[in-house]
Amino acid sequence: MIQRIQTLFLLLSLSFCLLLMYLPLGHVGDQFEFTYYVYGFVDHSGLLVHSFYLSIVVLLVVIFLQLISILLYKNRLRQVMLAQISLILLVLLAVSVLMSPDLFGYPQKDLGLSLEYNWNTILMIIPWGFTYLAIRRIKKDEALVRSADRMR
């Protein structure tokens, strides 16, 4: 049901996750030799220089879980469970995106290259907020249905 506010929150979260997949998160070097995406570092020719499989897998799982959660609007408890799992995975994604260049030692510090994040990294927080708001609204909806059942 699209007219429910929690479905709109989940759709907004899904759209920001899809947007996060294609926007650059930062640049490497003085002349911006490489661009940092969720899935890895890409040079100017479009060649993938170094990839981060964990980040892209987590992002794809989050997108899949949010899509399933949108489609399960009749089963609110399962919808909450899937949204909570995607919320945890969004936190894991943020940690993964911010820590993987340091863990894998890329870009090389000995060459004088440094990673500079841009404003697109803030987009990792926005899906988390919309998913949290959706969970709150789903729980409120479930409480309303339970109270109506008690009155019957």
Side-chain angles (χ1 to χ4, degrees), residues 1-8:
M1 281 190 150
I2 298 297
Q3 65 263 27
R4 292 173 51 203
I5 188 71
Q6 55 264 34
T7 307
L8 291 176

Side-chain angles (χ1 to χ4, degrees), residues 40-58:
F41 289 103
V42 177
D43 64 358
H44 285 299
S45 64
L47 181 68
L48 185 65
V49 177
H50 189 82
S51 61
F52 302 117
Y53 296 113
L54 175 68
S55 300
I56 194 65
V57 167
V58 170

Side-chain angles (χ1 to χ4, degrees), residues 90-107:
L90 280 168
V91 171
L92 178 67
L93 175 71
V95 169
S96 162
V97 163
L98 294 175
M99 294 299 293
S100 14
D102 291 334
L103 291 176
F104 291 111
Y106 199 84

Side-chain angles (χ1 to χ4, degrees), residues 7-62:
T7 307
L8 291 176
F9 285 148
L10 286 171
L11 276 173
L12 284 170
S13 177
L14 178 67
S15 64
F16 276 106
C17 284
L18 288 171
L19 190 64
L20 185 64
M21 205 170 191
Y22 296 107
L23 288 177
L25 300 175
H27 298 286
V28 175
D30 295 334
Q31 308 298 329
F32 299 131
E33 288 114 17
F34 303 111
T35 306
Y36 179 41
Y37 290 94
V38 172
Y39 51 85
F41 289 103
V42 177
D43 64 358
H44 285 299
S45 64
L47 181 68
L48 185 65
V49 177
H50 189 82
S51 61
F52 302 117
Y53 296 113
L54 175 68
S55 300
I56 194 65
V57 167
V58 170
L59 183 61
L60 289 175
V61 168
V62 166

Side-chain angles (χ1 to χ4, degrees), residues 70-108:
I70 290 171
L71 297 176
L72 288 176
Y73 60 88
K74 289 184 181 180
N75 192 345
R76 285 175 297 279
L77 295 177
R78 187 166 292 153
Q79 192 177 23
V80 166
M81 182 189 67
L82 289 176
Q84 287 174 340
I85 291 171
S86 71
L87 191 67
I88 292 169
L89 288 176
L90 280 168
V91 171
L92 178 67
L93 175 71
V95 169
S96 162
V97 163
L98 294 175
M99 294 299 293
S100 14
D102 291 334
L103 291 176
F104 291 111
Y106 199 84
Q108 290 86 6

